[in-house]
C-alpha cells in the first residue's frame, strides 16, 4: 500500500513533515527531562532546558561586607570581598546600588556613591568599597548585579538523587519486587497453559472461560479484600502484613490471566506430532513440558516476561497498597511520587529521579522491542 | 549498599527457588508414588492412568489457587463489602451506593471519567491510525514508530513528572522553564497554570495518557493495515480511487475489528486511570476520577472499606459489557484443542 498515495513531490514532502512533527511531540517531553537532569541546578531553576547550550544571564542581589571588615590603607577605609561564591562559575556584567537601576554601572567601572565613597565591582565578583571616613553600622550596603553563566553540564544531580535522596535504595527495592514478580508468574502460567492446551481433565473449558473473563477484571476490585486478608494474616501469625512475598504473589495473581491466555494460545499451536512421538517414547507430561514445550515456547515466554517486567516496574498502585513506605520497601515509582510531594519545586531532583526510573524500562524496551510487539499483537486484550 | 544487594539477591532466590522446587518435587513425587517404569505391564498402565488423572491438577493447581485468592475471592468479597459499613461488619444495604450518587465529589469523578472515556480512546486510535498510515510511506518510518512507541515503556508516574515539567508555570514576565508556557509566552500569550484550572485540567491530564497509549494503538493498527491484501488496494487504484477514498472505503472497513480491540483495550485502561491523577493533582481542582477516589476512600480517615468497595463495583460494572464481548469473541475463535 506504500505507493498508493502521496505520489507528488509535495505530497511526499508533506508526509515527512507530518511524521517529523509527531515524532517531535512524542520525544521532546522526555528529552526535556534528560537534558534538565544533566544541567546545573541553578541554571535549571531560572532558564528553560532548551536554552541549555546558551549562556544564561540572571539578576541577583547581595550585600557588601560590614564596617567590621574594613581596613585602613593610604588614609582610606576599604571594604573588600567577593560577591560570588567560590566555584560559582559566573561572570558579572553590570551592577547597581538601586533596585530600580540594578545594572547602572558596567563591571570594572568605579561608581561614585556620593560623599567621596566609591565602589568598584570586577567581572569576577571582586569588589572594593572605599571611603575617606570610617564606615559605620553593622549592615553592609545592598547591591544589585547582573551575572551570566556559561552553559554547564554536570552529573552532580545523579550523585545527589542516587546516594542522598534514596533513589539508589529504591532502585534495588524495585529490582527485588520486579525480578521474582516476573519469573514466578511465567513458571506458574507455563505449567497451567500446557495443561489447558494439551492435557485432558474435567472442567478445562470452564477454566479457560474464567481466565478470559478475569482478563479484564479491574485491579480495583481486588485491593480492599486483599488488604484485609493481608492484615488478617499478618495479625494472626504475628508477621508484618507488608512483605516482598506478599507483593510477588499479588503481582503474580494480577498477571496470571494474561500470562495463561498468551502462553496457552501459543503452546496450543505447537505441532501435535512432536508431542505424540515423545509420548510414544515413554516421556511423561512433565518431561515433555520441560524438554520440548519450554524451549519451543521461548519467544512467547520472552514476550510475556517483557510485559510483566514493564508492568511491575512501572506499577504504583499495587506497591502503595501491599508494600510499606519505609526506605527498605519503597519502590522507584512510590519514591518518585513521594518526591513530587516533598521536592515539588526541585526540578533538578525530580527530572533526574524520573530519568533514573524510566531508564531501565526504556533499555528493556529498545533492546527487546521485537518480542514486545509480538506479545502485543498476540494478546491485545490485556486487563491487568 | 552491598548488604542491601545481597539481601535482595537472597530474597529473589528464595522466591523463585520455592516455585521451581514445588513443580519439580510434586511431579517427582507423583512418579515415585505411581511408578510407570520398572513395574509389571498391567501395574504400569494402571499407574499411568492414575498419573493422568492427577498430573493436570499439579500443573494448573498453583494457577487456580492464586487466581482464586487474588481475583475470584476478592471480586465476591468486594461485592459483599460494598453493602457493609466502613469497618465491613454491619450490613447497610445500598447505603454506600446512594451515598455515592449524592456525593458531589463522586459525581465529579463520574463526570470526569466519562470525559476521559469520550476523549482518550478516540484520540489514541485516531492518532495511532494516522501515524501508522503515514510512517508506512517513508523510509525512516520504523525509527519514527519506535520513538512514538517508546512512551509505552514509561511508567505513569514517570510520564507525570515529564509532563508536569512541560506544564510548569512561572509568573508572568518571568522566564518560563516549562516548554508549554514558554511557547505561549513566545507567541504573546499569558502563561497559564495548566493543571489547576478546573475542567480544562482534565484535558491536560488526558494528554499524558494519550501520549503513552498512542504507540500501542499505532503498532496494532499498523500490523492490521499490513494485513490488507495488496490486490485489494491495487484494484481500487486501477478503478481510479483517490488516496482518501482508499483510506476510508477500503482500509478502514478491513481493519474495523482491530480498531474495536484497540478501542476497548484503551477504554478498560481509562476506567482504571489512577497514577496520573494521583501524581499530577491528587484529584484537586475538580480533576478526580473513580479509581483515584476509590484509592482515597481506602485510606481516608482510617479507611472506609464500604464506600471504597462500592466505587470499585461501579468501575467493575462499567467493564462487564467489555468482558462479555471478550469471552464471546474468544469462543468464536474456537477454544483450542
Amino acid at each position: 500500500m506504500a505507493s498508493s498515495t502521496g505520489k507528488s513531490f509535495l505530497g511526499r514532502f508533506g508526509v515527512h513533515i507530518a511524521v517529523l512533527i509527531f515524532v517531535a511531540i512524542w520525544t521532546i517531553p522526555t528529552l526535556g527531562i534528560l537534558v534538565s537532569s544533566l544541567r546545573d541546578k541553578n541554571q535549571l531553576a531560572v532558564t528553560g532546558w532548551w536554552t541549555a547550550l546558551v549562556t544564561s544571564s540572571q539578576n541577583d542581589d547581595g550585600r557588601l561586607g560590614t564596617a567590621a571588615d574594613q581596613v585602613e590603607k593610604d588614609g582610606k577605609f576599604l571594604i573588600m570581598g567577593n560577591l560570588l561564591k567560590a566555584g560559582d562559575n559566573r561572570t558579572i556584567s553590570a551592577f547597581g546600588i538601586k533596585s530600580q537601576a540594578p545594572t547602572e554601572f558596567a563591571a570594572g567601572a568605579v561608581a561614585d556613591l556620593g560623599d567621596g565613597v566609591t565602589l568598584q565591582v570586577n567581572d569576577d565578583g571582586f569588589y572594593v568599597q572605599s571611603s575617606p571616613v570610617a564606615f559605620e553600622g553593622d549592615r553592609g550596603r545592598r547591591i544589585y548585579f547582573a551575572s551570566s553563566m556559561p552553559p554547564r553540564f554536570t552529573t552532580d544531580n545523579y550523585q545527589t538523587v542516587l546516594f542522598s535522596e534514596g533513589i539508589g535504595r529504591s532502585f534495588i527495592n524495585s529490582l527485588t519486587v520486579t525480578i521474582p514478580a516476573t519469573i514466578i508468574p511465567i513458571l506458574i502460567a507455563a505449567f497451567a497453559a500446557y495443561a489447558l492446551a494439551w492435557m485432558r481433565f474435567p472442567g478445562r473449558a470452564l477454566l479457560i472461560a474464567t481466565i478470559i473473563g478475569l482478563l479484564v477484571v479491574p485491579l480495583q476490585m481486588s485491593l480492599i479484600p486483599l488488604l484485609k486478608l493481608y492484615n488478617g494474616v499478618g495479625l494472626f501469625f504475628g508477621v508484618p502484613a507488608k512483605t516482598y512475598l506478599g507483593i510477588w504473589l499479588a503481582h503474580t495473581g494480577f498477571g496470571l490471566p494474561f500470562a495463561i491466555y498468551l502462553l496457552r494460545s501459543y503452546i496450543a499451536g505447537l505441532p501435535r506430532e512432536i508431542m505424540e512421538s515423545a509420548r510414544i517414547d515413554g516421556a511423561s507430561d512433565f518431561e515433555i513440558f520441560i524438554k520440548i514445550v519450554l524451549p519451543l515456547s521461548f519467544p512467547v515466554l520472552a514476550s510475556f516476561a517483557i510485559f510483566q517486567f514493564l508492568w511491575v516496574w512501572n506499577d504504583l498502585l499495587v506497591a502503595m497498597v501491599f508494600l510499606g513506605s519505609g526506605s527498605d520497601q519503597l519502590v522507584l515509582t512510590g519514591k518518585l511520587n513521594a518526591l513530587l510531594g516533598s521536592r515539588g519545586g526541585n526540578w533538578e531532583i525530580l527530572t533526574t529521579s524520573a530519568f533514573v526510573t524510566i531508564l531501565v524500562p526504556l533499555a528493556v524496551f529498545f533492546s527487546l522491542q521485537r518480542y514486545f510487539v509480538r506479545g502485543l499483537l498476540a494478546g491485545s486484550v490485556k486487563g491487568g | 549498599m552491598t548488604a542491601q544487594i545481597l539481601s535482595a539477591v537472597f530474597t529473589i532466590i528464595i522466591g523463585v527457588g520455592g516455585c521451581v522446587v514445588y513443580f519439580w518435587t510434586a511431579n517427582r513425587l507423583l512418579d515415585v508414588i505411581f511408578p510407570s517404569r520398572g513395574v509389571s505391564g498391567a501395574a504400569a498402565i494402571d499407574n499411568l492412568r492414575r498419573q493422568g488423572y492427577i498430573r493436570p491438577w499439579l500443573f494448573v493447581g498453583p494457577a487456580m489457587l492464586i487466581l482464586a485468592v487474588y481475583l475470584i475471592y476478592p471480586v465476591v468479597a468486594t461485592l459483599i463489602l460494598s453493602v457493609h459499613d466502613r469497618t465491613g461488619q454491619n450490613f447497610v444495604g445500598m447505603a454506600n451506593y446512594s451515598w455515592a450518587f449524592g456525593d458531589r465529589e463522586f459525581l465529579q469523578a463520574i463526570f470526569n471519567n466519562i470525559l476521559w472515556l469520550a476523549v482518550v480512546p478516540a484520540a489514541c486510535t485516531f492518532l495511532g491510525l494516522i501515524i501508522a498510515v503515514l510512517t508506512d510511506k517513508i523510509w525512516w518510518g520504523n525509527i519514527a514508530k519506535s520513538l512514538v512507541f517508546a512512551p509505552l515503556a514509561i511508567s505513569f508516574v514517570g510520564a507525570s513528572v515529564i509532563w508536569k515539567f512541560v506544564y510548569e508555570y512561572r509568573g508572568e514576565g518571568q522566564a518560563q522553564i516549562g516548554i508549554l508556557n514558554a511557547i505561549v509566552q513566545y507567541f504573546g500569550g499569558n502563561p497559564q497554570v495548566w493543571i489547576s484550572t478546573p475542567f480544562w485540567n482534565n484535558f491536560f491530564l488526558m494528554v499524558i495518557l494519550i501520549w503513552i497509549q498512542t504507540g500501542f494503538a499505532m503498532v496494532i493498527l499498523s500490523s492490521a493495515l499490513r494485513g490488507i491484501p495488496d490486490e485489494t488496494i491495487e484494484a481500487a487504484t486501477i478503478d481510479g480511487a483517490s488516496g482518501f477514498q482508499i483510506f476510508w472505503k477500503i482500509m478502514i472497513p478491513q481493519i474495523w475489528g482491530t480498531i474495536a480491540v484497540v478501542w476497548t483495550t484503551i477504554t478498560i485502561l481509562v476506567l482504571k486511570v489512577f497514577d496520573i491523577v494521583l501524581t499530577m493533582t491528587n484529584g484537586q481542582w475538580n480533576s478526580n476520577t473513580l479509581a483515584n477516589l476509590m484509592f482515597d476512600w481506602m485510606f481516608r480517615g482510617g479507611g472506609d472499606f464500604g464506600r471504597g468497595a462500592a466505587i470499585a463495583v461501579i468501575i467493575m460494572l462499567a467493564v462487564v459489557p467489555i468482558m462479555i464481548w471478550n469471552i464471546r469473541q474468544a469462543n468464536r475463535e474456537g477454544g483450542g484443542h
Side-chain angles (χ1 to χ4, degrees):
Chain A
M1 56 153 285
S3 58
S4 58
T5 43
K7 281 184 209 108
S8 69
F9 174 76
L10 210 63
R12 281 224 164 275
F13 192 66
V15 169
H16 283 279
I17 295 293
V19 174
L20 205 60
I21 291 173
F22 279 119
V23 168
I25 296 173
W26 259 264
T27 50
I28 282 177
T30 318
L31 192 65
I33 66 156
L34 169 60
V35 171
S36 295
S37 71
L38 292 167
R39 288 184 78 200
D40 180 80
K41 65 179 180 187
N42 296 320
Q43 295 192 346
L44 173 57
V46 292
T47 56
W49 59 268
W50 52 91
T51 64
L53 292 174
V54 193
T55 298
S56 65
S57 56
Q58 70 182 97
N59 290 331
D60 246 321
D61 61 316
R63 274 189 193 282
L64 301 181
T66 64
D69 301 329
Q70 65 185 313
V71 289
E72 195 183 347
K73 196 180 172 196
D74 303 337
K76 287 192 167 185
F77 295 89
L78 305 175
I79 298 178
M80 293 180 286
N82 200 316
L83 286 169
L84 302 175
K85 288 189 284 291
D88 225 4
N89 204 17
R90 287 193 283 174
T91 319
I92 291 182
S93 54
F95 66 99
I97 51 164
K98 292 192 259 302
S99 63
Q100 299 92 326
T103 52
E104 197 177 349
F105 311 103
V110 181
D112 183 3
L113 308 183
D115 298 330
V117 181
T118 61
L119 174 65
Q120 182 178 15
V121 179
N122 289 335
D123 58 2
D124 59 359
F126 180 77
Y127 65 84
V128 186
Q129 186 183 18
S130 121
S131 167
V133 293
F135 289 101
E136 282 169 15
D138 51 6
R139 277 167 74 81
R141 179 186 286 276
R142 181 164 282 276
I143 178 169
Y144 303 88
F145 59 93
S147 64
S148 61
M149 273 183 282
R152 190 163 161 232
F153 292 98
T154 162
T155 53
D156 287 356
N157 299 332
Y158 284 90
Q159 300 251 333
T160 311
V161 302
L162 285 179
F163 302 112
S164 43
E165 288 290 333
I167 287 287
R169 181 71 221 253
S170 288
F171 194 91
I172 296 173
N173 294 344
S174 270
L175 281 177
T176 314
V177 170
T178 311
I179 294 174
T182 305
I183 300 174
I184 295 173
I186 292 184
L187 278 172
I188 293 180
F191 275 99
Y194 173 77
L196 289 172
W198 291 102
M199 292 165 101
R200 307 217 163 266
F201 59 97
R204 195 178 70 157
L206 180 69
L207 205 53
I208 294 173
T210 312
I211 286 165
I212 292 172
L214 290 177
L215 271 177
V216 292
V217 167
L219 204 53
Q220 275 77 7
M221 282 298 273
S222 294
L223 294 180
I224 292 178
L226 288 178
L227 186 64
K228 276 174 79 102
L229 184 74
Y230 275 35
N231 286 339
V233 168
L235 215 59
F236 188 78
F237 292 104
V239 292
K242 305 195 169 205
T243 58
Y244 280 112
L245 180 65
I247 196 168
W248 296 339
L249 289 175
H251 275 305
T252 303
F254 301 142
L256 259 189
F258 179 63
I260 299 177
Y261 173 82
L262 191 68
L263 267 51
R264 194 195 79 94
S265 59
Y266 186 89
I267 291 175
L270 294 175
R272 179 180 285 274
E273 298 76 37
I274 302 183
M275 308 214 195
E276 270 171 7
S277 63
R279 195 160 292 149
I280 289 164
D281 291 343
S284 73
D285 278 308
F286 186 68
E287 288 159 337
I288 295 177
F289 177 76
I290 296 289
K291 291 188 184 141
I292 300 176
V293 174
L294 271 193
L296 283 179
S297 307
F298 176 76
V300 74
L301 297 179
S303 289
F304 175 73
I306 297 164
F307 268 103
Q308 182 75 359
F309 181 87
L310 291 178
W311 155 248
V312 175
W313 183 274
N314 288 338
D315 159 79
L316 173 67
L317 181 57
V318 177
M320 280 182 99
V321 174
F322 295 111
L323 278 184
S325 52
S327 69
D328 59 329
Q329 288 193 330
L330 198 56
V331 295
L332 277 175
T333 48
K335 181 73 198 174
L336 195 54
N337 184 44
L339 285 176
L340 268 171
S342 63
R343 299 300 206 123
N346 295 53
W347 280 108
E348 78 281 4
I349 291 185
L350 288 176
T351 53
T352 312
S353 305
F355 198 75
V356 171
T357 70
I358 68 173
L359 200 60
V360 172
L362 281 181
V364 168
F365 173 84
F366 277 116
S367 54
L368 300 169
Q369 200 174 5
R370 176 198 306 262
Y371 292 110
F372 186 70
V373 170
R374 194 180 295 172
L376 209 59
L377 294 173
S380 45
V381 281
K382 157 86 166 159
Chain B
M1 205 68 154
T2 353
Q4 288 164 23
I5 295 173
L6 279 180
S7 90
V9 169
F10 181 72
T11 343
I12 290 170
I13 290 173
I14 293 283
V16 175
C19 195
V20 172
V21 165
Y22 159 79
F23 281 110
W24 194 81
T25 322
N27 280 284
R28 191 84 213 131
L29 269 180
L30 190 69
D31 288 337
V32 170
I33 296 171
F34 298 116
S36 61
R37 284 167 212 168
V39 288
S40 71
I45 289 171
D46 231 28
N47 281 345
L48 266 181
R49 193 170 42 81
R50 289 197 190 111
Q51 281 189 7
Y53 282 134
I54 297 172
R55 205 186 303 271
W57 300 105
L58 293 183
F59 277 38
V60 293
M64 282 174 71
L65 184 73
I66 289 181
L67 287 177
V69 173
Y70 282 89
L71 290 169
I72 297 171
Y73 153 73
V75 168
V76 178
T78 300
L79 283 170
I80 296 172
L81 278 170
S82 74
V83 291
H84 285 75
D85 69 354
R86 58 184 303 129
T87 59
Q89 305 293 328
N90 308 305
F91 181 75
V92 294
M94 302 305 280
N96 289 322
Y97 293 95
S98 57
W99 159 82
F101 285 97
D103 184 55
R104 202 198 64 81
E105 222 181 332
F106 176 84
L107 294 175
Q108 179 74 55
I110 285 264
F111 173 77
N112 290 342
N113 252 119
I114 293 173
L115 213 56
W116 280 73
L117 284 177
V119 174
V120 176
C124 292
T125 316
F126 181 69
L127 289 172
L129 190 56
I130 290 186
I131 299 173
V133 171
L134 291 181
T135 48
D136 254 358
K137 295 181 197 293
I138 52 176
W139 59 267
W140 52 286
N142 280 336
I143 302 168
K145 270 189 200 159
S146 264
L147 291 171
V148 174
F149 195 35
L152 200 58
I154 296 177
S155 64
F156 288 159
V157 189
S160 295
V161 173
I162 290 174
W163 281 88
K164 214 167 189 173
F165 192 49
V166 170
Y167 295 149
E168 175 72 354
Y169 167 81
R170 290 289 155 97
E172 228 169 287
Q174 278 176 273
Q176 300 293 334
I177 67 168
I179 196 165
L180 186 59
N181 273 324
I183 293 170
V184 167
Q185 203 159 309
Y186 179 81
F187 286 107
N190 290 330
Q192 302 290 324
V193 198
W194 305 105
I195 56 172
S196 51
T197 313
F199 186 68
W200 299 110
N201 54 6
N202 280 306
F203 295 94
F204 291 106
L205 300 195
M206 287 176 210
V207 164
I208 303 173
L209 191 55
I210 296 171
W211 182 72
I212 293 174
Q213 286 296 321
T214 296
F216 164 76
M218 175 198 72
V219 164
I220 306 270
L221 294 170
S222 167
S223 121
L225 286 174
R226 291 216 172 127
I228 299 176
D230 280 342
E231 299 82 56
T232 320
I233 293 175
E234 273 161 27
T237 318
I238 291 165
D239 287 348
S242 72
F244 270 102
Q245 280 174 322
I246 289 175
F247 181 73
W248 285 109
K249 296 195 175 150
I250 313 256
M251 282 157 67
I252 296 284
Q254 293 254 4
I255 59 164
W256 200 242
T258 313
I259 291 180
V261 168
V262 169
W263 198 291
T264 48
T265 308
I266 300 177
T267 300
I268 294 175
L269 191 75
V270 168
L271 280 168
K272 299 183 299 184
V273 64
F274 158 76
D275 319 37
I276 293 177
V277 178
L278 179 84
T279 45
M280 292 296 282
T281 64
N282 195 13
Q284 295 175 84
W285 309 296
N286 295 346
S287 66
N288 223 345
T289 58
L290 287 178
N292 188 56
L293 188 65
M294 187 240 157
F295 182 80
D296 200 21
W297 277 109
M298 273 178 79
F299 299 104
R300 188 190 284 185
D304 188 327
F305 285 172
R307 287 179 179 177
I311 300 172
V313 170
I314 291 165
I315 299 176
M316 179 74 202
L317 283 180
V319 174
V320 164
I322 300 172
M323 183 156 114
I324 294 170
W325 185 77
N326 243 357
I327 296 178
R328 276 222 190 120
Q329 207 71 7
N331 282 344
R332 196 181 304 163
E333 283 160 16
H337 297 262

